[in-house]
Amino acid sequence: MDLPIIDLIVFLVYMAAIVLFGISFSFRKRTALEYTTGGGRLPSWAIGMSIFATFVSSISFLALPGNAYLSNWNGFVFSLSIPFAAWIAVKYFVPLYRNLKSESAYYYLETRFGSWARIYASICYMLTQLARMGAIMYLLALPMNALFGWSIPMIIICTGISVMVYAMLGGIEAVIWTDAIQGIVLIAGAVLCLLVILFSMPNGPGEVITIAAEADKFSLGSFKFNFVESTFWMILIYGLFINLQNFGIDQSYIQRYISAKTEKEAVKSTWLGSLLYVPVSLLFFFIGTALFSYYQAYPDLLPSDLHLAENADKVFPYFIVSGLPSGVTGILIASIFAAGMSTVSTSINSSATVFLSDHYRKYIHKDPTEKQSMRVLWISSSVMGGLAILVALAFNGVTSALEAWWALSSIFSGGILGLFLLGFVVKKATSKAAAIGVLCGVVVIGWMSLSPVLLSGTSLEGFQNTLHTNLTIVMGTLTIFIIGFLLTYLFSKQKTNVEL
């Protein structure tokens, strides 16, 4: 299928404009602190839009409609957990990080448990971001390859270099302002698409609701307390833990708290970014449901291979190309790339900040000049961007890139939240108790992530994990927290007995 020239022009103009706009921030002379925090110049609405855009990756833009088209709104329960996590963030996390006076999220862990905790968390964070960026760029390339025949490696390399250039040169200001623009673009694109679907129905927009309701497409899933299947409660608990991790220990979010002018502005931006995602994710789910109704009404318009369950994620991109007017298609393709680029640029900048703060200044050069710090930020940004491109290329050919990303993110990031909560909640928690807790948590995470793959079909099959994969972060976090808490109590009791 060929992309009409007008849509190609719209898409290329958008890409060029975003890159040039991001690069324009490099013309201003800045310190390393301004490069990583924006110098407190950024308005709360732009920071909030950036938080929102970080939430919405190309995975969300393509997977949510595909999920709703294939099944129901069970996945939307994840979004319902966000307000609870956001309330905890504005009450506890935002004041904590703004008072620390450090651009690193992992400095706090060092103050609680020592250098090992900061090293562990920061390395896990960077590994998680590499897996995330790789998965996003690869999943971004898949529908473009299927629809237009564009080379997957070419899409990955071009997208990766484009984002890397403006994220490296422009710093956090470029990332936040381009995120804000891209957030607006993707919302506008999604609304346009939904309106076209609704008013293309043979009997009017109401027919979407009628057809979808008959097929039970608006269900939020089973309300049974079943944690093996994707029930309402399983998704809600998983979402709460993931979002606590995002707001509580994810460097890209903490940098935005610090970038705001005041604590009040940081709170406003956190609420804006988190609460905006809820209706927008609902919009994506409704698009998927509307597409189901649309192709029920016009079954001949959908190729036979796209009726297969494994191709559900390709239905939305197919409609963008085949069902939208010329010009609008270009805007929607730009929206898909906007969703991916905003997340990748954030990961590049935050990873560079982590490397400078948690590794270079700690262990390589304790008191670098501004020029040296800026050089480290530029080099580490380009290295992370380059490595992300290689990871994305390595994803090419895997059975399920999304499942691979979930497994990798669980392994790399699952233990950080438990360590953070242990330090934040249990004030007397010791370094030794935390270290043993993390070790046990990593074992649990590894078992839950890998045992279904390694033990399936073997004599040890009975020892493999049977809980839903999404609960990996939940069980890992709880293991670290509970063991750390119990050992802290035990060690303090032993110390009391010795003193007596």
Side-chain angles (χ1 to χ4, degrees):
M1 188 181 295
D2 293 326
L3 184 65
I5 188 68
I6 182 68
D7 294 308
L8 185 60
I9 290 172
V10 168
F11 169 65
L12 292 177
V13 166
Y14 168 79
M15 290 287 286
I18 279 292
V19 173
L20 291 174
F21 178 67
I23 290 174
S24 69
F25 288 91
S26 66
F27 300 137
R28 180 187 299 159
K29 189 177 172 115
R30 294 158 301 172
T31 63
L33 187 62
E34 289 175 321
Y35 182 95
T36 57
T37 66
R41 291 188 294 262
L42 297 161
S44 59
W45 73 266
I47 297 172
M49 285 300 296
S50 180
I51 291 173
F52 160 74
T54 301
F55 261 117
V56 184
S57 67
S58 53
I59 295 174
S60 302
F61 204 101
L62 298 172
L64 298 190
N67 186 261
Y69 175 87
L70 181 63
S71 55
N72 53 34
W73 287 14
N74 178 233
F76 179 65
V77 178
F78 176 91
S79 301
L80 298 179
S81 70
I82 292 176
F84 298 102
W87 179 81
I88 295 172
V90 299
K91 188 170 179 61
Y92 299 107
F93 302 157
V94 172
L96 170 69
Y97 286 112
R98 286 191 65 87
N99 291 332
L100 281 178
K101 307 299 181 184
S102 172
E103 66 270 30
S104 168
Y106 310 114
Y107 170 73
Y108 172 74
L109 293 177
E110 182 178 29
T111 65
R112 289 294 287 110
F113 301 122
S115 297
W116 72 266
R118 187 175 184 176
I119 294 170
Y120 164 74
S122 59
I123 290 176
C124 283
Y125 176 78
M126 288 191 287
L127 290 173
T128 303
Q129 296 314 299
L130 283 176
R132 186 185 196 191
M133 289 187 286
I136 286 170
M137 286 192 285
Y138 175 63
L139 290 168
L140 187 65
L142 279 181
M144 301 301 113
N145 168 261
L147 294 172
F148 309 123
W150 296 353
S151 164
I152 288 179
M154 181 198 74
I155 298 171
I156 290 171
I157 292 169
C158 291
T159 305
I161 291 176
S162 298
V163 179
M164 182 174 66
V165 166
Y166 77 73
M168 176 184 70
L169 295 176
I172 191 68
E173 285 183 284
V175 170
I176 286 178
W177 281 111
T178 53
D179 279 0
I181 292 170
Q182 290 175 137
I184 294 169
V185 168
L186 70 89
I187 293 173
V191 170
L192 270 174
C193 188
L194 180 60
L195 290 174
V196 171
I197 298 171
L198 290 175
F199 289 97
S200 297
M201 296 298 289
N203 296 312
E207 191 177 9
V208 165
I209 306 294
T210 304
I211 295 174
E214 290 175 355
D216 197 27
K217 286 291 180 178
F218 298 111
S219 169
L220 295 177
S222 169
F223 283 86
K224 294 179 180 178
F225 287 96
N226 179 344
F227 297 102
V228 177
E229 299 172 354
S230 185
T231 62
F232 176 93
W233 300 111
M234 194 283 294
I235 295 294
L236 187 67
I237 292 171
Y238 164 73
L240 181 60
F241 274 74
I242 283 288
N243 287 306
L244 281 176
Q245 178 170 287
N246 289 339
F247 288 118
I249 205 68
D250 190 308
Q251 174 68 27
S252 57
Y253 289 79
I254 276 70
Q255 265 181 263
R256 280 151 182 75
Y257 303 160
I258 301 168
S259 299
K261 296 174 184 176
T262 63
E263 184 176 315
K264 185 178 179 181
E265 294 285 289
V267 168
K268 285 167 60 178
S269 65
T270 303
W271 276 123
L272 172 62
S274 56
L275 294 184
L276 182 58
Y277 181 78
V278 179
V280 172
S281 64
L282 180 64
L283 172 64
F284 285 131
F285 275 98
F286 194 45
I287 286 173
T289 302
L291 284 171
F292 173 83
S293 299
Y294 178 83
Y295 286 118
Q296 288 293 307
Y298 301 108
D300 295 338
L301 295 182
L302 191 66
S304 57
D305 62 316
L306 292 186
H307 284 283
L308 301 174
E310 60 266 25
N311 289 329
D313 287 348
K314 296 177 183 176
V315 173
F316 185 29
Y318 177 79
F319 177 81
I320 289 172
V321 176
S322 63
L324 295 177
S326 291
V328 179
T329 296
I331 294 173
L332 262 294
I333 293 175
S335 299
I336 294 174
F337 275 81
M341 292 169 68
S342 60
T343 307
V344 172
S345 65
T346 295
S347 294
I348 289 174
N349 181 267
S350 59
S351 298
T353 303
V354 165
F355 179 77
L356 174 66
S357 179
D358 296 322
H359 297 277
Y360 186 80
R361 284 178 179 163
K362 283 281 295 178
Y363 304 106
I364 300 174
H365 196 317
K366 292 189 181 297
D367 189 26
T369 63
E370 286 297 332
K371 187 175 181 180
Q372 289 171 325
S373 295
M374 287 299 298
R375 188 182 297 118
V376 170
L377 287 168
W378 288 330
I379 293 172
S380 54
S381 293
S382 60
V383 168
M384 286 298 293
L387 289 174
I389 292 173
L390 294 177
V391 172
L393 293 173
F395 270 110
N396 196 3
V398 299
T399 305
S400 173
L402 197 56
E403 289 185 8
W405 149 242
W406 283 338
L408 289 171
S409 64
S410 295
I411 293 169
F412 292 147
S413 68
I416 306 178
L417 177 61
L419 183 61
F420 170 77
L421 291 177
L422 179 64
F424 187 77
V425 176
V426 186
K427 300 302 181 184
K428 294 183 178 180
T430 63
S431 177
K432 183 180 178 181
I436 297 172
V438 167
L439 184 62
C440 294
V442 169
V443 171
V444 169
I445 290 166
W447 168 70
M448 291 190 68
S449 301
L450 302 176
S451 67
V453 177
L454 299 178
L455 302 181
S456 181
T458 70
S459 58
L460 298 175
E461 190 170 9
F463 294 97
Q464 71 183 43
N465 170 49
T466 56
L467 292 174
H468 196 284
T469 307
N470 287 1
L471 290 178
T472 301
I473 184 176
V474 178
M475 298 306 295
T477 298
L478 291 177
T479 299
I480 293 170
F481 182 83
I482 292 171
I483 289 181
F485 172 77
L486 292 175
L487 288 176
T488 297
Y489 173 75
L490 180 63
F491 292 157
S492 64
K493 193 172 182 180
Q494 287 178 339
K495 184 179 179 182
T496 302
N497 291 335
V498 170
E499 290 174 351
L500 291 174

